[in-house]
Amino acid sequence: MNSPVNSLRPMTEADLDRVLAWRNHPDVRRYMYTQHEIGMEEHRAWFGRASRDFARHLLIFEVEGIARAFLAINQSSCATVADWGFYIAPDAKPGTGRALGIAGLHYAFDELNLHKLCGQALGYNERSIRFHERLGFSREGVLRDQHFDGKDYHAIVCFGLLAAEWRTVQAHKSRS
């Protein structure tokens, strides 16, 4: 699933402070659907609900044993289809996001045996849009003026990646 220096593990209560600090950082928060600064009580309540939901996988991505990113995979009513969301530590080294993405895709398709993984990005988040496309996701649609941030309406770009597409890319890489 991961290289020896990179790994995914379940998020625990011990991660709450670090994940909250990442989530509240202005460089992360501005690309979230809810952009207010989250307090610890709200964060703990979210973690309590989410960690009891067997369809939600809250994961921490570590690089050389140090937590560097958060990844959530939420299975839908069709258990083989899921959405993902993620953010990396604002001070993470370049390449951390791509490593997280690859580890997350291995987890989704090899551990959870998903058929499809879906993602979304706010239309102004060009970095996330390019990220999804570089990982092999297809743009499946744009929801125009779908999100209101309190001031403006924004489009949401929807992505999807099928397990068969991921496996084709992985097989091609292993032959190269």
Side-chain angles (χ1 to χ4, degrees):
M1 171 175 69
N2 301 300
S3 74
V5 295
N6 298 334
S7 63
L8 279 173
R9 63 167 174 80
M11 182 179 170
T12 67
E13 279 196 50
D15 297 306
L16 285 174
D17 288 337
R18 179 186 338 259
V19 171
L20 181 61
W22 295 340
R23 168 59 179 79
N24 278 338
H25 192 280
D27 291 341
V28 172
R29 197 172 68 229
R30 70 184 175 141
Y31 294 115
M32 305 301 285
Y33 288 134
T34 56
Q35 297 182 354
H36 70 281
E37 202 160 320
I38 294 172
M40 183 53 82
E41 186 175 316
E42 180 182 357
H43 190 56
R44 279 188 192 285
W46 161 80
F47 181 73
R49 285 187 312 274
S51 61
R52 287 188 302 271
D53 183 344
F54 293 110
R56 296 182 81 170
H57 307 270
L58 308 178
L59 304 164
I60 297 296
F61 180 67
E62 294 183 338
V63 177
E64 297 178 348
I66 299 170
R68 304 310 290 153
F70 167 77
L71 170 68
I73 297 177
N74 303 313
Q75 291 172 270
S76 68
S77 57
C78 173
T80 59
V81 176
D83 294 304
W84 77 343
F86 47 83
Y87 39 89
I88 65 171
D91 62 345
K93 292 180 183 173
T96 301
R98 179 153 177 78
L100 165 68
I102 291 168
L105 292 173
H106 279 292
Y107 185 85
F109 295 125
D110 299 335
E111 301 289 322
L112 298 178
N113 294 311
L114 295 178
H115 171 71
K116 181 179 182 181
L117 187 63
C118 303
Q120 295 183 340
L122 291 168
Y124 60 85
N125 191 346
E126 289 295 326
R127 209 164 156 196
S128 184
I129 292 167
R130 283 191 313 273
F131 173 79
H132 280 89
E133 291 172 341
R134 286 182 183 141
L135 286 174
F137 282 79
S138 295
R139 225 183 256 219
E140 295 189 333
V142 175
L143 305 173
R144 300 173 305 130
D145 284 357
Q146 182 73 14
H147 175 69
F148 184 68
D149 66 6
K151 257 179 23 186
D152 298 304
Y153 285 94
H154 302 282
I156 295 174
V157 182
C158 302
F159 299 94
L161 180 63
L162 302 177
E165 295 166 339
W166 170 248
R167 289 191 179 97
T168 298
V169 169
Q170 294 309 299
H172 177 70
K173 284 182 181 177
S174 69
R175 287 190 299 250
S176 301

